[in-house]
């Protein structure tokens, strides 16, 4: 069972919140051998393995099953936008030079994306990673989804 995210180390906005939320999840699920996090940088030209290691140290990313990864730029964008259908793009017109959704994908033990439904029966395929549990909701009234992500991780780990 693992969470997938797309981020970049020089992000001036949502990435610090996303990774702070993931560190909280890391701590809660540290003792589970079947749980991990896959973080892919969307700025591989800057985010070298050394930069990613420094970022991990800065944020307290220290679980051996949390992997911060870089690679071929086009392959990462294809993985994000086509493979996971989680938006990521370079955009010189936004702060930091990149845009991305701030969503987390949850993958089960068989490699399938897992989701849940909302109160109306509509699928919630991704989890909003940009609002902390303690914050509750953002200025636009969007509710945090870290708590339901944790519930779903627990469910998948018990399957």
């Amino acid at each position: 069972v693992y969470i997938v995210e797309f981020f970049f180390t020089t992000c001036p906005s949502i990435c610090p919140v996303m990774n702070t939320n993931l560190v909280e999840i890391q701590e809660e699920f540290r003792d589970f051998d079947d749980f991990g996090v896959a973080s892919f940088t969307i700025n591989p030209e800057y985010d070298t393995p050394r930069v990613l290691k420094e970022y991990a140290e800065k944020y307290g990313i220290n679980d051996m099953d949390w992997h911060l990864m870089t690679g071929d730029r086009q392959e990462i964008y294809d993985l994000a936008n086509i493979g996971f259908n989680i938006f990521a793009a370079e955009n010189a017109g936004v702060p930091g030079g990149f845009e991305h959704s701030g969503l987390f994908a949850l993958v089960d033990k068989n490699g399938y994306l897992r989701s849940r439904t909302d109160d109306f029966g509509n699928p919630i395929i991704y989890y909003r990673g940009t609002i902390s549990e303690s914050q509750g909701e953002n200025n636009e009234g969007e509710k945090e989804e870290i708590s339901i992500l944790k519930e779903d991780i627990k469910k998948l780990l018990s399957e």
Side-chain angles (χ1 to χ4, degrees), residues 8 15 18 25 33 49 53 55 62 68 81 84 86 91 116 118 152 158:
F8 61 108
C15 296
M18 292 169 60
I25 291 170
D33 292 333
K53 183 177 186 217
Y55 186 85
N62 52 31
L68 283 81
N81 294 307
F84 282 96
I86 295 178
N91 182 346
R116 62 165 48 215
D118 67 14
D152 292 349
S158 69

Side-chain angles (χ1 to χ4, degrees), residues 1 29 32 34-35 109 114 150-159:
V1 176
F29 294 97
F32 290 85
D34 292 340
F35 176 72
K109 294 176 186 178
R114 294 298 290 262
K150 288 178 180 179
E151 289 173 11
D152 292 349
I153 293 167
K154 287 176 188 171
K155 180 179 178 182
L156 292 178
L157 287 169
S158 69
E159 289 183 344

Side-chain angles (χ1 to χ4, degrees), residues 50-62:
R50 190 185 107 246
V51 170
L52 292 173
K53 183 177 186 217
E54 291 169 359
Y55 186 85
E57 291 168 358
K58 175 181 177 182
Y59 279 89
I61 299 168
N62 52 31

Side-chain angles (χ1 to χ4, degrees), residues 5 7 36-40 52 61 63-69:
E5 74 155 340
F7 82 110
V37 178
S39 298
F40 296 92
L52 292 173
I61 299 168
D63 189 305
M64 294 301 292
D65 292 319
W66 185 341
H67 304 280
L68 283 81
M69 294 176 275

